[in-house]
Amino acid sequence: MGLFDFLRSDKDKKKEHGAEKAAEQVQQQAAAAPPPPAAMPGRTGTRYTESAAAARTAEERGGASAPRPPSAAPAKPPVVRPAPHTPTPASAAHKAVPAAPQPAPERQRTYTVRSGDSLSEIARRELGNEGRWRELYAINRGVIGSDPDMIHPGTQLVLPN
């Protein structure tokens, strides 16, 4: 008896006793059972060779119910793929599809620079935000040049949308 056996419930003791009895019964049945077919005298084959023999006999009889071992599988016929479709002038793949109608390009707004104008003033007046002067300069850099502070009166500027 162990040190803490007094804590175990009666159920645990019954389970342990039942498990021991079941193990004894399994051992007794194993001893009384006849030996497996491979261990019987006069039979030297294994289960694989027995199943292979059964497959061969079933095949000879014309039955395909028994599975074939991998070595006796017939060669698969080559896969024949159809030739790729060549479009003809009458086929749907060759017919012209009309392009989707393009919306009419919006007319770009322009502004002509006056004397005393600056990009930030033009952006505030025309675009509603003087912080957009950088956007105005980026679009018109080719016309303005490398210095955004140097705009000349009469220059046509393209306004962003």
Side-chain angles (χ1 to χ4, degrees):
M1 218 184 220
L3 183 62
F4 294 103
D5 280 348
F6 67 93
L7 295 175
R8 295 170 75 191
S9 68
D10 289 335
K11 288 182 181 178
D12 289 342
K13 289 179 186 176
K14 288 179 182 177
K15 283 182 185 177
E16 186 176 302
H17 183 67
E20 289 173 1
K21 278 189 173 182
E24 286 177 18
Q25 287 177 353
V26 168
Q27 288 176 352
Q28 289 173 358
Q29 288 174 355
M40 289 185 146
R43 297 188 77 183
T44 57
T46 61
R47 288 184 185 237
Y48 178 75
T49 56
E50 288 174 0
S51 65
R56 272 187 244 116
T57 56
E59 184 179 316
E60 289 169 2
R61 280 190 241 133
S65 60
R68 295 178 176 210
S71 62
K76 292 182 179 178
V79 177
V80 178
R81 294 193 176 123
H85 175 70
T86 307
T88 62
S91 70
H94 217 64
K95 291 182 180 176
V97 178
Q102 296 289 336
E106 291 184 23
R107 191 166 175 200
Q108 290 184 338
R109 293 181 0 188
T110 59
Y111 177 80
T112 305
V113 177
R114 294 184 244 151
S115 179
D117 278 347
S118 67
L119 289 179
S120 60
E121 187 177 319
I122 296 168
R124 182 180 53 79
R125 193 175 330 121
E126 297 296 322
L127 304 176
N129 182 359
E130 67 182 31
R132 291 183 68 185
W133 74 266
R134 289 184 177 90
E135 184 181 354
L136 185 61
Y137 175 62
I139 292 173
N140 296 291
R141 186 179 210 136
V143 177
I144 296 171
S146 61
D147 187 6
D149 291 329
M150 193 74 150
I151 56 172
H152 303 286
T155 306
Q156 286 277 73
L157 300 178
V158 176
L159 300 175
N161 293 334

